[in-house]
Amino acid sequence: MTTMDYADLLTGDDMPTDEDLQRIFHTALAENSPRDAKRGLRVFASGLLERGLIDLASYATLFGGQAVHLLTLDQDGHFIHALNGKDATDLTRIYSRAKYGSIADIRFLADLVIERLRMELQAPDSDWRRLFEGALAAGEQVVMLTTGWRNVPSTANVLFAIVVEQINVDLALLELPTIIEVKLPRIAPPVENYASLTAEERERVSKVQDHVIPEQHFFQGGVHVIFGDDVLVTGATADKVFHTTMMNGARSFRAVYPVVIDPVVAFANPATEEKLNMTDVDGKIDESIVNWLSDPDYQPILRTLRLLFEEASRGILPRLLPLVPPGNWLKLYTAALGNDMLRVPSCQPSLELLKGHLTQLNMLDGCGRPLRQPTVQTL
């Protein structure tokens, strides 16, 4: 097939029969060719889903995908579980808080993935078990790629670091190769409104501002790729990672997501992902946000930095400063400066305010640099 031929199959007077469309999809699904990521297969699959020719569970397995929860919207615009139609509010609220850095909720999503992968690894004939057994027999490696790293982790980074740590224990006890965690870096800052972009806009952004993916030398000697992300919406990032890693020499590719959003909904309304992100965090800072900012294990997430330091939150920041442990403020301060937010006009006044607070607490020197605790050297 030539570029975009899959999408072309859904238009024109000579469109194949429903049975032929289903056969084409399942053949492509079995072949799992990286070139199909550039030939419109995902758009084609979304079209079949909209016509009722495949279900969302089948769609989620595209390009080696594995999903824990499948979500769509009901006629009133509320998130529901796609398979049984049950209300998904509790899950989406957990996801929303995780997206803004609530470590308890990130752990919840991580546990969903861990439970699913453990089940797969305990099944002798599962594809995941065969992956690790094959890697062991061939002396090959398995890596987990996660997205979003630019001096501060994304939710996916934190989530899958937990997954890898726990699943590696299982793999070691099974005497199978453990997973090597690799965070995909960004050179340019991520686009602030990425969650509201259309699929076409995401494709354009990815050419200049998306993740740096390992080149051919990385895959020499045999490397299998697992891609982990907190959600699959349009598939633009996942498909790019699939295509590039396989074309660069990866032995195989699998992807795992705690949540997959119905692409028919996502393609029709680009704001669907942002609706999910803001289910429980609507841009206002309340007691629940103070609680998870105060968690001893809290890690700054880019979304949290924007929530705290953009102009909309400047009025509440002075009241917020004494409510959060100074050590966590220091984490947020250094993360924000490491992501060039001090040069962002809308963030600079808030960061200067935080700088003054930390200086008064003797956590920064007169120039705004974190003070190191003195080390005791013994001879």
Side-chain angles (χ1 to χ4, degrees):
M1 288 189 174
T2 58
T3 302
M4 297 303 291
D5 274 356
Y6 280 109
D8 292 343
L9 291 172
L10 298 176
T11 60
D13 296 332
D14 56 347
M15 190 173 69
T17 65
D18 288 352
E19 291 76 11
D20 284 339
L21 291 172
Q22 291 170 317
R23 177 184 53 78
I24 291 168
F25 170 76
H26 288 293
T27 299
L29 196 66
E31 292 177 349
N32 201 35
S33 168
R35 291 180 175 83
D36 284 345
K38 298 292 186 180
R39 295 173 176 170
L41 181 56
R42 188 169 293 280
V43 174
F44 173 72
S46 177
L48 298 191
L49 180 62
E50 187 173 16
R51 289 167 168 78
L53 300 180
I54 63 172
D55 58 18
L56 186 54
S58 297
Y59 172 87
T61 65
L62 192 63
F63 303 140
Q66 175 92 11
V68 180
H69 287 286
L70 308 170
L71 301 184
T72 189
L73 295 178
D74 64 15
Q75 60 184 5
D76 297 319
H78 301 131
F79 283 104
I80 59 173
H81 291 277
L83 297 185
N84 57 24
K86 292 184 177 179
D87 181 77
T89 300
D90 288 344
L91 176 63
T92 56
R93 291 182 67 185
I94 289 169
Y95 180 90
S96 176
R97 294 191 297 266
K99 200 67 178 178
Y100 280 86
S102 168
I103 191 64
D105 294 292
I106 291 174
R107 288 196 186 104
F108 179 91
L109 296 179
D111 286 343
L112 295 178
V113 177
I114 291 167
E115 181 181 2
R116 175 62 61 87
L117 293 182
R118 279 178 172 162
M119 180 181 67
E120 296 285 346
L121 290 174
Q122 292 300 323
D125 59 345
S126 76
D127 178 65
W128 286 82
R129 180 65 176 259
R130 290 195 298 269
L131 161 66
F132 290 97
E133 290 178 339
L136 176 65
E140 297 171 337
Q141 307 298 324
V142 181
V143 302
M144 168 74 78
L145 302 184
T146 57
T147 64
W149 185 268
R150 188 183 184 269
N151 297 331
V152 64
S154 67
T155 296
N157 296 148
V158 179
L159 190 160
F160 282 97
I162 298 170
V163 171
V164 169
E165 180 182 61
Q166 295 299 313
I167 290 299
N168 275 349
V169 174
D170 291 70
L171 291 168
L173 294 174
L174 291 168
E175 299 184 352
L176 294 172
T178 53
I179 301 168
I180 302 164
E181 184 187 4
V182 179
K183 300 179 181 71
L184 296 177
R186 293 181 187 266
I187 302 301
V191 175
E192 291 189 14
N193 64 332
Y194 185 84
S196 299
L197 299 182
T198 65
E200 292 79 8
E201 289 169 335
R202 294 182 187 211
E203 183 72 21
R204 289 196 297 270
V205 164
S206 72
K207 295 178 181 179
V208 294
Q209 289 186 284
D210 212 344
H211 309 88
V212 179
I213 300 174
E215 297 187 355
Q216 293 179 356
H217 64 85
F218 179 88
F219 299 98
Q220 293 176 357
V223 174
H224 300 266
V225 171
I226 303 171
F227 173 68
D229 207 350
D230 50 72
V231 68
L232 178 72
V233 184
T234 67
T237 299
D239 293 358
K240 178 181 178 179
V241 176
F242 168 60
H243 177 267
T244 305
T245 56
M246 291 298 290
M247 297 302 290
N248 284 348
R251 290 283 193 266
S252 68
F253 183 93
R254 290 161 183 79
V256 60
Y257 318 95
V259 175
V260 168
I261 300 297
D262 182 349
V264 177
V265 170
F267 283 124
N269 183 2
T272 301
E273 183 177 2
E274 192 65 1
K275 176 183 176 71
L276 176 64
N277 292 339
M278 300 186 71
T279 301
D280 201 57
V281 182
D282 60 1
K284 298 178 182 178
I285 299 174
D286 55 22
E287 183 178 354
S288 65
I289 293 178
V290 173
N291 288 337
W292 47 255
L293 283 175
S294 302
D295 192 298
D297 295 328
Y298 175 74
Q299 295 187 58
I301 300 293
L302 188 58
R303 277 186 170 270
T304 315
L305 300 181
R306 292 172 178 156
L307 174 66
L308 292 172
F309 301 133
E310 288 285 358
E311 186 174 359
S313 299
R314 193 172 304 148
I316 197 174
L317 190 58
R319 287 175 284 158
L320 191 64
L321 290 174
L323 302 179
V324 175
N328 286 9
W329 278 127
L330 185 60
K331 291 179 185 178
L332 289 158
Y333 173 81
T334 55
L337 267 59
N339 278 266
D340 292 333
M341 295 182 75
L342 193 58
R343 295 194 296 168
V344 178
S346 60
C347 297
Q348 186 175 6
S350 295
L351 287 170
E352 290 291 348
L353 180 64
L354 177 56
K355 175 183 172 183
H357 176 69
L358 293 173
T359 301
Q360 288 181 348
L361 295 174
N362 295 319
M363 302 187 76
L364 302 178
D365 66 17
C367 298
R369 295 176 296 217
L371 288 171
R372 295 182 180 275
Q373 294 297 321
T375 56
V376 178
Q377 295 184 349
T378 58
L379 297 177

